[in-house]
Structures are given as C-alpha cells and as structure tokens.
Amino acid sequence: MPQSGYSVAPSSGTGSLCDVLELILDRGLVIDAFTRAQPNTRKDGESNDSERDNAGAEAGAAGIRPRRHRARSASGTVSPEEDRADRAATVYAYALTLRDHPLRLDGLNGVGGPPTPLRTVPAGPLCAVVSDVSEEPHPTERDIGAHHDVQQRLMESGVVLPLRFGATAPDDDAVRSAVEEHADDYAERLRRLDGCVEYSLKAAQEARQPNDHLRDAEADSEAGSRQGELDVQNARPRLEALASGVTEAFRPFTREVKPGAPSGEDFLSVSFLVSSDQDELFTASEMSLAHQMGEDFDFRLHGPLPPYSFV
C-alpha cells in the first residue's frame, strides 16, 4: 500500500475494524523498528498541493487581514483615482517571529509580479516578515508556493507564527501597530510553538469488492440497493470510532491535536503539533499503525509543516 512516500507490507490477519480499534485503544501501538521518515512525505504521485493549501487555512494575525476587492460602481468600472490607489505599494505579511530569529531570507522571492525582496518590520520583541506588492495578491500556484517557501525557510532556523495567504496592510506603520497591539499574545503563541512542527494525517478505507453472497445472489436490483444503503449506514459509525481511536493513539506523542472535517472518501483528517523530541517516535508510530491496518486502508501523512493549524 502506498504510504507517505514509502510502501508498507500488509499486515497478516488485519481483522475487522472493531479488532483494529481494540488493538489501538486497549493494547496500544506496537512500534516496529522503522527508519526515520523523510520530511515532506506524501503518497506516491501526490504533489505538495495539500501542503500549500494549508498556507491558506487557519492562521492569521488580528489587524493584518486579507485585502477585500474594491467595490465597483454600478457600471462595473473603477475610477482612475481608485485604480491608482489600488496599485499603490501595499505591504504583504508572511509571518511573525521573535526579534532574535536568524531570518535567513536570502535567495527567496516574495509574492506578486514582479516580486520584491523580503524584509522585516520590527515591532517590540517581535518581527514581521514582509514584502511590497503593487497589487492585491491572487492565490496562483506561483504565489502560494512563494508564500509557503518563506514559511519553510523561517521554520528551518527558528520558531515562526505563520500568517494565512493574502494578509496585507497599507504600510509598515500599520503592520507595526497591529503586531504591537497583540504583542504579548503573539509572543506567548511563539513560545508555545517553539521546537514544534505540524503533521497532517488523512486516511481512507479502500473500496472493497462486493461480498460473495451478494455477488452470487439472484436478488433483484432493488434488494441490492437496499443492502448497499445498509452497508454504508453500518460502516459510518465504525469508521467514526476508528478515526477517534487513531487520533487518540497518537496523542501521547503530540503536544496538541486538531481534528478536521474529512472530505471525499476520507474518514480521518487531523493535524498534530509535534515537538522535536517526539518527531521520530511520531513518524515511526504512524508507519507502524499503517502497517498493522493493512492494505484496506490508505494513510497519507504530510509534514513537517509550519504549524498553521495551531496559530
């Protein structure tokens, strides 16, 4: 089964969902001797899109907000004065750090076109990492990637409070004022996130072949449809219980847990805040659990990421 950029062999005798849940909750995880998982792991053939999508998810600072599109007149036009105001230099904010962060930003380009150099705006004990943009940034692949690259570079050398994509302010003074207004709160959040990264885990149950007795039965299509509906209804609470069990199994290795809303075929979507001293144990535990549950389940682990979900 493809698993976070590597493969694991199916478990011999995976058992039912109830058996797996009992294993997780009552017996605990059996940690196998796996090697260290590589960062930025993902399912084979899967891009970093989901990681980059996180850049627009949870985080944001009060007072530095996504710019709204200017309301147009009834005719749908914008006056020359309004257009010039919109195109005036605007400050785009990427993240907050402590003042003693190394801030190694050389070689990185910011968002917008043409991109301008990254710089910092000191604000008391904190620093905002910003760049100038000539117009409102749009969530293009290039700009989302540039935003994410700044977060990753900052995270490599210190703690970072990542801002969501699109956070802008009129000028440096507005940035400084917004940060200083909540400086104590931001500094506390940075201390809480120090030495931690985020891992995002999603899981789905692979589609199963029809049972033999359904495949061979001579029941009419209406009876088969009713059986299918019953199967779905019966599976839902079991998968919800399984998602809860998987989440709780990883809690001892994490500082914080933030469940999300599964989408598509997934029954699990959850983010974990993991400290550096638990990183290897966490990733080895995820590999072990995927191995135990077997090829009927598809686990995708993304990380390490900036802690977007825990800001």
Side-chain angles (χ1 to χ4, degrees):
M1 177 183 64
Q3 161 55 31
S4 301
Y6 43 78
S7 297
V8 294
S11 172
S12 57
T14 304
S16 67
L17 289 176
C18 293
D19 292 335
V20 175
L21 188 58
E22 179 183 1
L23 171 67
I24 293 171
L25 295 179
D26 294 344
R27 303 178 190 173
L29 283 173
V30 180
I31 309 299
D32 296 330
F34 286 101
T35 57
R36 172 77 163 86
Q38 294 298 315
N40 296 317
T41 54
R42 54 192 177 271
K43 184 179 176 182
D44 291 341
E46 190 172 41
S47 72
N48 274 332
D49 289 347
S50 60
E51 298 171 13
R52 291 177 174 177
D53 289 345
N54 280 333
E58 302 291 342
I64 306 177
R65 303 184 181 279
R67 239 180 130 197
R68 301 285 189 254
H69 289 279
R70 181 179 294 276
R72 294 178 179 271
S73 66
S75 64
T77 61
V78 176
S79 69
E81 293 79 10
E82 290 174 329
D83 184 62
R84 282 194 296 273
D86 272 350
R87 296 185 64 83
T90 298
V91 178
Y92 182 95
Y94 300 84
L96 304 181
T97 70
L98 295 172
R99 286 284 291 271
D100 60 359
H101 192 290
L103 296 169
R104 300 187 179 97
L105 300 172
D106 53 294
L108 285 179
N109 292 318
V111 304
T116 59
L118 297 167
R119 56 189 176 81
T120 61
V121 177
L126 305 176
C127 229
V129 177
V130 304
S131 68
D132 293 323
V133 292
S134 60
E135 58 185 13
E136 180 179 0
H138 297 283
T140 62
E141 181 178 357
R142 188 264 162 202
D143 280 354
I144 291 176
H147 181 98
H148 181 72
D149 288 345
V150 174
Q151 313 282 9
Q152 291 287 82
R153 174 71 67 83
L154 290 169
M155 190 179 71
E156 289 172 2
S157 52
V159 61
V160 58
L161 197 68
L163 304 183
R164 65 186 180 272
F165 180 87
T168 62
D171 51 39
D172 286 7
D173 288 341
V175 173
R176 185 177 296 105
S177 175
V179 175
E180 289 179 343
E181 182 180 357
H182 303 278
D184 291 343
D185 181 38
Y186 296 150
E188 175 58 31
R189 296 186 197 185
L190 282 164
R191 285 190 288 269
R192 179 167 57 87
L193 297 174
D194 193 13
C196 295
V197 294
E198 177 175 336
Y199 282 92
S200 171
L201 178 63
K202 299 180 186 295
Q205 184 176 22
E206 298 287 356
R208 303 176 69 93
Q209 294 298 320
N211 294 332
D212 290 340
H213 72 279
L214 290 179
R215 204 169 43 237
D216 299 334
E218 295 180 356
D220 58 29
S221 59
E222 183 178 354
S225 176
R226 286 197 300 269
Q227 180 63 49
E229 292 173 0
L230 288 174
D231 289 343
V232 171
Q233 292 173 3
N234 292 334
R236 185 176 297 112
R238 290 192 298 159
L239 289 176
E240 289 175 353
L242 182 60
S244 177
V246 170
T247 300
E248 291 303 311
F250 291 115
R251 196 176 291 274
F253 314 126
T254 63
R255 287 194 181 178
E256 294 184 39
V257 176
K258 186 168 184 181
S263 60
E265 300 299 319
D266 292 341
F267 68 86
L268 173 70
S269 176
V270 60
S271 295
F272 300 97
L273 186 66
V274 181
S275 62
S276 57
D277 61 343
Q278 294 287 319
D279 194 342
E280 292 190 17
L281 184 56
F282 175 84
T283 53
S285 300
E286 188 273 339
M287 294 175 70
S288 179
L289 179 62
H291 178 81
Q292 293 177 55
M293 294 186 69
E295 60 185 6
D296 286 343
F297 293 89
D298 173 27
F299 280 76
R300 288 108 61 206
L301 181 68
H302 300 276
L305 302 168
Y308 297 111
S309 301
F310 299 92
V311 179

